[in-house]
Amino acid sequence: MTQLALVIDLNVCVGCHACVTSCKEWNTSGIAGYLSDDNPYGAEPTGTFFNRVQTFEVGQYPDTQTVHFPKSCLHCEEPPCVPVCPTGASYKRPEDGIVLVDYDKCIGCKYCSWACPYGARELDEHQKVMKKCTLCVDRIYDESIPKTERKPACVNACPTSARLFGDVHDSESEVSRAIREQGGYALMPEWGTKPANHYLPRRRIEVTIHDDELVRVDNPLKKEIDVGPSGPVREQTLDDITSW
Amino acid sequence: MHPAFSVIFLTTLIGAGQGLLLALYTAESYAAVGVVASSPRSFYVAGGIISLVLLIAGLGASFLHLGHPERAWRSASMWRTSWLSREVILLPLLMVLLALYTMFHYLGWDLGIIGIDSGFDSDLTLIVGAFAVLATFALFVSTAMIYACIKFIQEWASVLTVINYTLLGSASGFTLATALTVFIVPEPSQGLVKLFGFWAVVITVAALLGRVMSLYRNARLKPRSTVQSAIGIRHGSIIQRAQGVMGGSFNTREFFHNAPDWVFRWIRPLFLVLTFPLPIILIITGVTSGSFAVLIIAFVVQYLGLIAERWYFFAQAKHPQNIYYQYIS
């Protein structure tokens, strides 16, 4: 059975929001209608998005790292939002595992959004139906698009290739290999939702430096200034706790 | 969670309507075995109509919650998995049973209309009423399970939610029944007023115990989801710097109560006083003096308390998605 999903590499994401804008562009132009925006240029801009990039700061200054964290529907294998829907508008496709909303059946009761621990669903304030990431279902099967571009808009847009797309049930797919070999994990595993989307952790980059690389053999002054750490490291950094 | 007044009115209005039906059936079954004197038919008819009006008002309030009320009929389809769908089926079912119950009382029908002579005057209404009572309890469970089945809203995910919805709705219904008896029954048998007053006080006390237990439980909850599990980074100090949006979103409007601190602080003592001790004092005063005014004030006070209680029920619930929406930037 196929389960399409995204794998997002937090080690690579630079937080540029290209996935957010490309997602909005593709999905606001689609057959399902626009994604509402209110006051886009005003003081309180608000609108419906399928995908957002959030930013977290890990550690305390000066030992901090910024983690950019793209968040969209995780297309859970046990989606808690699906069984609660009273109309059957919210459903999970058996053929590829994509969780979708039938906008013609949705009554806008918002119950599915309560039942999603990730806040992945947003009510469109003008169409009054629940919206969420579709994994660009109207794009990935479109045979009029070149085969290499039959991926979600966010994946195509990512300039650092932080987003991978594929079938996580196929053990030899690019995404399965990334999860397996780079420590891919799911969000909030405590609720048993089994998200299909995975995240790749920040990884410790180790470089072996030999003494002769620190000293410039061709330094005309034949003299080096000692530039070691300015003081003792006070607490653990993200690198100290990451298992990769 | 953001407390939506449509849902607050839905749950409190149908709760009172369901409680009133339970009170009517209690009186009828007590009268059937001769514990209290039988009440005039007008009492059951008036009570049934008021209960029906409360249920219809609740249903009307629920429509205000929907983005597409014209498609509401679709919501009866997923009863196999969705408690909301079950509620959508049970509420009209209860209305039909209650309408039949009221109509049979109005027409004075008994099983004689289908040729069965049981010797009881109220045999038909006792049977229809029994089904209505079953539907009432099923509806209490469905309404409460809508909230209690969301396991990650830990404040709600407890059997106490079901118990409290049942007890709080029943309490307000019995309080209303006490006032109704004094108003409608011309020379109310002291027995019936005392019966309703007794049960109104007992159920209100039980509801107080249940609600205090849930407040106690909620005060000691340890959130299972943390920012660490939410983004999958096991570090002790993580703070959000941006949530990807500057002017708020559905996520910041629907899942936070967004009320001033003082409102959130004061609403709990307010509902605890309005829902429990004040109505109990008023019911006891009203029953002993036989005053309709005091008893109807008891109901109004308790109903206002229940609105505050329901507001707090929603506002106190912390949705784990809020972890992702701590700071705008």
Side-chain angles (χ1 to χ4, degrees):
Chain A
M1 217 177 70
T2 308
Q3 171 65 64
L4 296 179
L6 297 171
V7 170
I8 297 165
D9 192 344
L10 297 183
N11 204 42
V12 175
C13 177
V14 292
C16 71
H17 291 249
C19 53
V20 179
T21 52
S22 62
C23 164
K24 181 87 172 183
E25 191 277 329
W26 176 265
N27 286 295
T28 204
S29 330
I31 49 163
Y34 60 93
L35 297 179
S36 296
D37 270 319
D38 284 303
N39 305 318
Y41 305 106
E44 296 276 316
T46 185
T48 307
F49 285 78
F50 291 171
N51 178 34
R52 297 183 187 272
V53 177
Q54 306 187 322
T55 302
F56 293 86
E57 189 176 286
V58 181
Q60 277 170 354
Y61 180 83
D63 300 316
T64 53
Q65 289 204 27
T66 302
V67 176
H68 298 293
F69 179 80
K71 179 170 82 77
S72 56
C73 171
L74 305 170
H75 298 279
C76 299
E77 305 208 29
E78 299 287 342
C81 53
V82 168
V84 301
C85 177
T87 67
S90 186
Y91 65 105
K92 186 173 177 69
R93 291 179 15 139
E95 64 266 36
D96 54 16
I98 301 181
V99 177
L100 287 176
V101 178
D102 183 338
Y103 300 141
D104 294 329
K105 280 189 186 169
C106 177
I107 57 172
C109 70
K110 308 181 216 169
Y111 190 28
C112 56
S113 72
W114 296 7
C116 170
Y118 307 101
R121 291 170 165 255
E122 300 188 14
L123 186 87
D124 191 297
E125 300 288 355
H126 293 276
Q127 296 166 39
K128 298 286 180 194
V129 292
M130 197 53 73
K131 299 212 167 166
K132 63 179 286 303
C133 164
T134 65
L135 277 183
C136 287
V137 70
D138 53 347
R139 178 183 176 95
I140 56 177
Y141 296 113
D142 187 346
E143 292 186 357
S144 68
I145 293 175
K147 204 164 185 186
T148 50
E149 291 175 23
R150 282 181 219 160
K151 294 174 181 173
C154 57
V155 177
N156 282 322
C158 182
T160 60
S161 301
R163 303 174 78 93
L164 310 174
F165 169 68
D167 175 12
V168 290
H169 281 185
D170 171 5
S171 60
E172 285 312 308
S173 68
E174 182 191 21
V175 282
S176 295
R177 208 174 299 123
I179 293 169
R180 191 166 61 236
E181 294 175 0
Q182 298 180 58
Y185 62 85
L187 305 182
M188 290 189 191
E190 59 269 25
W191 301 117
T193 53
K194 295 189 191 158
N197 283 13
H198 282 69
Y199 287 79
L200 304 182
R202 296 293 277 265
R203 291 181 288 287
R204 184 184 296 150
I205 307 295
E206 294 202 19
V207 181
T208 306
I209 300 173
H210 300 287
D211 282 347
D212 61 337
E213 290 169 296
L214 292 172
V215 178
R216 288 175 291 172
V217 288
D218 55 349
N219 183 351
L221 298 176
K222 305 275 189 245
K223 185 182 171 191
E224 299 284 345
I225 302 165
D226 184 18
V227 283
S230 56
V233 177
R234 286 179 304 177
E235 63 142 22
Q236 59 175 194
T237 66
L238 177 56
D239 274 347
D240 295 322
I241 55 105
T242 193
S243 48
W244 287 79
Chain B
M1 301 291 292
H2 170 70
F5 273 97
S6 50
V7 180
I8 291 175
F9 280 113
L10 161 70
T11 55
T12 51
L13 285 169
I14 65 172
Q18 288 165 265
L20 181 55
L21 169 69
L22 292 181
L24 294 178
Y25 195 73
T26 306
E28 188 167 13
S29 47
Y30 273 44
V33 294
V35 176
V36 293
S38 326
S39 308
R41 268 163 38 196
S42 61
F43 170 71
Y44 293 107
V45 174
I49 289 172
I50 292 170
S51 173
L52 205 51
V53 166
L54 288 169
L55 295 182
I56 291 169
L59 184 65
S62 76
F63 273 89
L64 300 178
H65 188 69
L66 302 183
H68 282 279
E70 77 280 5
R71 300 175 188 163
W73 58 274
R74 286 185 181 277
S75 59
S77 59
M78 298 304 280
W79 53 271
R80 285 180 194 82
T81 60
S82 170
W83 283 105
L84 178 52
S85 191
R86 289 168 200 163
E87 186 195 36
V88 164
I89 293 170
L90 282 166
L91 183 52
L93 176 70
L94 174 61
M95 286 174 173
V96 169
L97 289 169
L98 182 56
L100 287 176
Y101 178 74
T102 310
M103 193 177 78
F104 291 155
H105 268 297
Y106 177 73
L107 298 171
W109 285 3
D110 57 24
L111 281 180
I113 59 161
I114 52 169
I116 300 171
D117 183 17
S118 68
F120 266 126
D121 279 347
S122 55
D123 47 10
L124 179 60
T125 47
L126 275 173
I127 292 168
V128 176
F131 283 109
V133 165
L134 280 179
T136 296
F137 280 114
L139 181 56
F140 271 134
V141 172
S142 299
T143 307
M145 279 306 289
I146 290 173
Y147 309 101
C149 78
I150 304 177
K151 57 185 171 186
F152 45 79
I153 304 183
Q154 290 169 268
E155 286 85 352
W156 294 352
S158 155
V159 69
L160 286 170
T161 304
V162 181
I163 293 172
N164 288 340
Y165 266 71
T166 309
L167 289 176
L168 291 165
S170 304
S172 60
F174 271 84
T175 309
L176 180 58
T178 318
L180 206 63
T181 315
V182 175
F183 186 67
I184 290 176
V185 184
E187 284 171 11
S189 67
Q190 272 301 307
L192 195 58
V193 179
K194 278 190 181 147
L195 170 75
F196 283 148
F198 170 75
W199 279 117
V201 171
V202 167
I203 298 170
T204 304
V205 170
L208 173 64
L209 287 178
R211 197 63 179 97
V212 167
M213 272 172 76
S214 85
L215 289 174
Y216 179 84
R217 172 183 176 273
N218 291 351
R220 275 152 193 78
L221 281 177
K222 190 172 178 294
R224 281 184 70 189
S225 287
T226 58
V227 67
Q228 282 77 16
S229 76
I231 64 172
I233 294 175
R234 300 186 300 275
H235 191 285
S237 66
I238 302 176
I239 49 171
Q240 190 169 34
R241 285 302 182 199
Q243 57 176 244
V245 50
M246 298 294 284
S249 61
F250 175 74
N251 305 75
T252 59
R253 290 188 292 269
E254 181 72 9
F255 298 95
F256 294 86
H257 59 76
N258 290 329
D261 273 350
W262 65 268
V263 173
F264 187 74
R265 239 190 351 267
W266 280 99
I267 203 116
R268 186 170 63 180
L270 180 77
F271 89 69
L272 282 173
V273 170
L274 286 182
T275 316
F276 306 107
L278 214 51
I280 289 176
I281 294 168
L282 288 167
I283 291 166
I284 293 172
T285 317
V287 168
T288 39
S289 67
S291 160
F292 168 70
V294 173
L295 287 170
I296 199 70
I297 289 171
F299 171 72
V300 171
V301 166
Q302 191 166 43
Y303 184 73
L304 292 176
L306 284 175
I307 291 177
E309 187 275 333
R310 219 40 53 92
W311 189 94
Y312 191 78
F313 173 80
F314 285 100
Q316 195 194 23
K318 290 184 205 70
H319 199 289
Q321 78 105 38
N322 294 3
I323 296 167
Y324 297 108
Y325 295 89
Q326 291 298 313
Y327 296 98
I328 290 245
S329 102

